[in-house]
Amino acid sequence: MKPASTHTLFVAAAALAATIVATGRSPQARSNDADEKLVKNAAEQSARAAKAFEAIMQVPDKAIPRNLLARAKAIAVFPRVIKVALTVGGEGGRGVVSQHTSTGWANPVFLRAGGGSVGPQIGASSTDFFLLLMNDESVEGLMKDKFELGGEAGVAAGPVGRNAGAGTDALMHAEILSYSRSRGLFAGVNVKGIVLRPEDDLNMAVYHKTARELLSDPASVAGSADGGLTAFPQALGRYTDKSSDDQ
């Protein structure tokens, strides 16, 4: 057997060194990389929610009434909730919620939505869901590990358009007003059985706090995020700021 050439030994040594460098990074460095990916993911989630919200507000005669937006304690958006059904159906999506504070809309807290159904069904769909949380109790529900819409809080289909009345029974008593947008169609919709849960891997990466901590003290996240994370509260502000309210 011929001895390995100097060039071959050099290439092997270089490859081994590269492997050591790649795998020998400190746990802290790997953790920082993971957090950076989560923060980027969170910014994209906020941007998608902002885009979905902007889309439904572009047509004032069919949009969520601004007076209701201004009265809401918090607003949650779940863009592109996927529903797949084949006898047993299920749906799931990711979203954000922003609380209304004395200084404006707080930066987003991240949530997941999911649910299931049984019956003769087949197909798939993608739907944007919008929730207006109208009182403190509904916001407190989001602080739980599991919050079922229609089970623990009263949910009603929200009215749309400039002239939607604000004194109906549904608006007087509903804790949450709900809307959906699918294939260009937008309307108030009764949402029941969907379960909301905190997405605390994102919340911890962005704020180093859980959803419960953030929602119990919204001032702690007001103005503390940067970049694309602010896209969602900025979009809400454009339609609830008094100077832009045309209703």
Side-chain angles (χ1 to χ4, degrees):
M1 178 182 295
K2 293 183 179 181
S5 67
T6 301
H7 175 72
T8 301
L9 291 174
F10 176 79
V11 171
L16 178 60
T19 301
I20 293 173
V21 170
T23 59
R25 303 179 65 201
S26 69
Q28 182 63 45
R30 292 196 296 271
S31 176
N32 288 341
D33 285 349
D35 281 351
E36 287 178 6
K37 290 181 180 178
L38 289 172
V39 171
K40 181 180 179 181
N41 188 320
E44 292 172 350
Q45 200 157 309
S46 178
R48 284 194 294 269
K51 184 177 180 180
F53 181 77
E54 293 273 8
I56 68 165
M57 297 302 295
Q58 292 300 311
V59 185
D61 290 338
K62 297 182 180 179
I64 300 173
R66 292 194 186 189
N67 64 321
L68 293 180
L69 294 173
R71 286 170 47 194
K73 297 289 186 177
I75 296 176
V77 175
F78 294 86
R80 291 184 290 185
V81 174
I82 304 299
K83 181 175 182 179
V84 178
L86 184 61
T87 304
V88 177
E91 55 191 331
R94 306 166 72 192
V96 298
V97 62
S98 180
Q99 285 179 268
H100 208 175
T101 72
S102 59
T103 58
W105 293 93
N107 286 318
V109 175
F110 300 92
L111 305 171
R112 285 186 179 273
S117 59
V118 179
Q121 50 192 320
I122 187 169
S125 64
S126 176
T127 303
D128 299 335
F129 286 103
F130 308 84
L131 304 174
L132 273 59
L133 291 85
M134 304 304 294
N135 58 21
D136 293 331
E137 288 74 16
S138 59
V139 176
E140 290 170 3
L142 297 179
M143 300 181 197
K144 301 177 181 178
D145 293 334
K146 176 182 176 182
F147 182 53
E148 183 177 347
L149 300 180
E152 301 173 62
V155 183
V160 299
R162 293 179 185 270
N163 300 317
T168 65
D169 184 69
L171 300 185
M172 293 294 291
H173 299 288
E175 296 179 79
I176 300 174
L177 298 177
S178 55
Y179 300 83
S180 72
R181 175 176 177 266
S182 181
R183 295 184 180 179
L185 299 176
F186 174 71
V189 63
N190 280 311
V191 179
K192 293 184 179 181
I194 291 181
V195 175
L196 306 183
R197 292 183 172 88
E199 190 170 7
D200 277 338
D201 54 343
L202 294 190
N203 293 317
M204 290 297 296
V206 175
Y207 305 112
H208 307 293
K209 294 182 179 181
T210 65
R212 179 191 295 271
E213 294 171 311
L214 296 168
L215 291 167
S216 63
D217 183 17
S220 67
V221 292
S224 64
D226 56 8
L229 287 165
T230 61
F232 182 61
Q234 287 174 354
L236 296 179
R238 283 193 285 274
Y239 293 95
T240 54
D241 180 67
K242 290 183 179 180
S243 64
S244 65
D245 193 352
D246 61 2
Q247 295 208 160

